[in-house]
Structure formats: structure tokens, C-alpha cells
Amino acid sequence: MELLWTLFISFIQVGLFSVGGGYAAIPLIQEQVVNTHKLLTMAEFTDLITIAEMTPGPISINSATFVGQRVYGTLGAVICTLGCILPAFIICLILAYFYYKYRNFSGVQTVLGALRPAVVALIGSAGVSILVLALFNTDFNNIVLSRFRWLEFILFIGGFIILRKYKVNAVSIIIGTGIVGTALQFIINVI
């Protein structure tokens, strides 16, 4: 029961402080479940984030559900999901009321403008953490250049170019790089 309470409070904090959407929640979830409470390893966390990214729905809710399922089963999944969405639900109700009442007030626009850089920083932090893990198979503090993973780097650059230049659907890129990466890894292991 104590673990369920810990999960609930952890995801209440994630839901409360992940301003900017699901990608902004990733470093907060990592801090709670990997660094603070040590419920998952970084590799397990990255695998769960990858699955949460590929499944339909908001990534923060998917991540909360997958973490809860992994740590405490179905009840854990429900508790983590509720903890993640409860703050947003309450805050949205309150903010919607005030926004529609005071939306033409210049102070509201100032506050929204001030939040944008923080949101970009949170999303960038999540992206850098995942990229470092993908390219070095470790967290940011333990990078060893000799562990650099060239295959993953080439797949990252290729996927990035295809996404930006040719505007291919992200799901197609994920599936394509997964297939190409698996095939190349198989060929490398055979040789």
C-alpha cells in the first residue's frame, strides 16, 4: 500500500509540474521513478518511454500507465494514471474559468509568453536525455566516448533528415528505422 501511495504522489507531482505537455513530463517521470525512488532502471524507463511514444494517446498518460503496470500491476497502472491526470483536470477547470473571464487582460498574455521558454527547456531536456541514452546507452553524467553507438547515430540522422526534409509521417519513420536497425544489427552480428 505504501508503494501505491508513493506512485500516486509521484505522478501527482508529475501531473502538477509538467507544464507544456507530455514530452515535458518525461524528465519529471524519470526523476521520480528512476532517480528518486529507484523503481526502474534507466534502461527500463527508456524502453517504457519508447513504448509510450509508439502507442496512441498522450505520452505522459501512457508513460504513467506503463510505469504503474510495470511496478505494481493493473492497480498501479490505474493509480499512476489517475495521479498524472488529476492535477491537469483540476487546473484546467480552474484556468478555463479564469481564462474565459479575463482573456483580454494583458497580464494573462504576459504570463503565457513567460511560460514558453520553460516549456521549450523541458522538452529539450527530455530529447537530450533520450538521445544520450540512445547513442551512449547511459545517462548524461556517465558518457564514455568509446561507447558511442554509430548505428543508432546514423539511424537518428537519417530519420531526422527524412522527417524534416521530406515530411514523412513520424510513425513511418519509427517503423522504418526499427526495421532497418534490426536488419543492420543482424547483419553486423552475423559478420
Side-chain angles (χ1 to χ4, degrees), residues 1-189:
M1 197 61 155
E2 183 178 334
L3 181 56
L4 282 175
W5 182 249
T6 299
L7 287 170
F8 184 70
I9 294 300
S10 294
F11 279 95
I12 286 276
Q13 292 173 18
V14 168
L16 190 59
F17 296 112
S18 59
V19 177
Y23 291 105
I26 293 172
L28 301 174
I29 296 171
Q30 176 188 340
E31 181 62 31
Q32 289 294 321
V33 300
V34 176
N35 302 340
T36 303
H37 299 294
K38 304 201 183 319
L39 299 171
L40 299 173
T41 66
M42 189 61 181
E44 290 174 318
F45 176 73
T46 303
D47 291 343
L48 289 176
I49 293 298
T50 302
I51 293 168
E53 174 73 27
M54 293 186 318
T55 54
I59 190 169
S60 61
I61 295 172
N62 290 349
S63 300
T65 304
F66 289 138
V67 167
Q69 178 68 35
R70 172 71 174 85
V71 173
Y72 205 89
T74 304
L75 184 57
V78 170
I79 292 296
C80 289
T81 303
L82 285 175
C84 190
I85 64 173
L86 189 61
F89 178 75
I90 292 169
I91 290 170
C92 281
L93 284 177
I94 293 168
L95 288 178
Y97 170 77
F98 285 108
Y99 180 74
Y100 283 110
K101 190 170 183 177
Y102 300 108
R103 68 178 163 230
N104 295 327
F105 183 62
S106 66
V108 171
Q109 298 305 317
T110 303
V111 169
L112 293 175
L115 287 176
R116 286 186 192 108
V119 170
V120 170
L122 287 170
I123 293 170
S125 172
V128 168
S129 294
I130 292 171
L131 182 64
V132 166
L133 186 63
L135 297 180
F136 294 99
N137 201 25
T138 187
D139 63 9
F140 195 75
N141 297 324
N142 299 315
I143 292 176
V144 177
L145 292 179
S146 63
R147 289 184 176 166
F148 189 77
R149 300 163 81 179
W150 287 99
L151 176 61
E152 285 82 354
F153 177 71
I154 292 167
L155 290 170
F156 166 72
I157 294 298
F160 186 78
I161 290 170
I162 291 169
L163 179 67
R164 301 303 296 169
K165 186 172 183 178
Y166 300 106
K167 308 294 187 212
V168 173
N169 183 317
V171 174
S172 300
I173 293 172
I174 291 169
I175 292 169
T177 55
I179 292 169
V180 170
T182 303
L184 290 174
Q185 193 65 47
F186 179 74
I187 292 168
I188 290 169
N189 288 340

